[in-house]
Amino acid sequence: MLPPQGHGKAYLEYEGRIYDGTPGSPLDVPESDARVLKANGWIPLMEVGAKRPFNPGRGERFLDLVAGAELVFDGFRWLDALTGNPA
């Protein structure tokens, strides 16, 4: 996640975890916290894992550790971000 843009350091505390970041400096966060951060203006970069997100949004990116590839969701299916082929 990237902290919100346009104002110095960003700070958010959620369930005892503190997120304190500078715009442009990514932070790795658990998926459950990412939803809360996003709702507070933080910018998601890319989820990483072995299981693809259940309900992705169009343009969402995912680093699939099983396929060893960066994928992008086109609104209907996952595509290899480099080749554009279905993944």
Side-chain angles (χ1 to χ4, degrees):
M1 300 287 298
L2 284 174
Q5 303 296 311
H7 42 117
K9 288 188 77 123
Y11 178 90
L12 187 125
E13 185 173 342
Y14 177 67
E15 293 190 354
R17 290 178 292 281
I18 295 172
Y19 296 101
D20 190 8
T22 303
S25 299
L27 296 174
D28 189 21
V29 303
E31 182 180 347
S32 58
D33 291 9
R35 289 186 204 102
V36 174
L37 290 166
K38 183 177 178 183
N40 284 278
W42 291 57
I43 303 161
L45 290 176
M46 181 184 328
E47 193 173 328
V48 176
K51 291 177 105 178
R52 296 176 185 180
F54 174 69
N55 191 17
R58 185 169 190 245
E60 186 171 333
R61 293 184 172 274
F62 178 70
L63 182 57
D64 189 321
L65 297 177
V66 174
E70 180 183 345
L71 309 178
V72 63
F73 193 71
D74 71 355
F76 301 101
R77 63 185 178 238
W78 288 102
L79 303 173
D80 183 295
L82 292 176
T83 66
N85 294 329

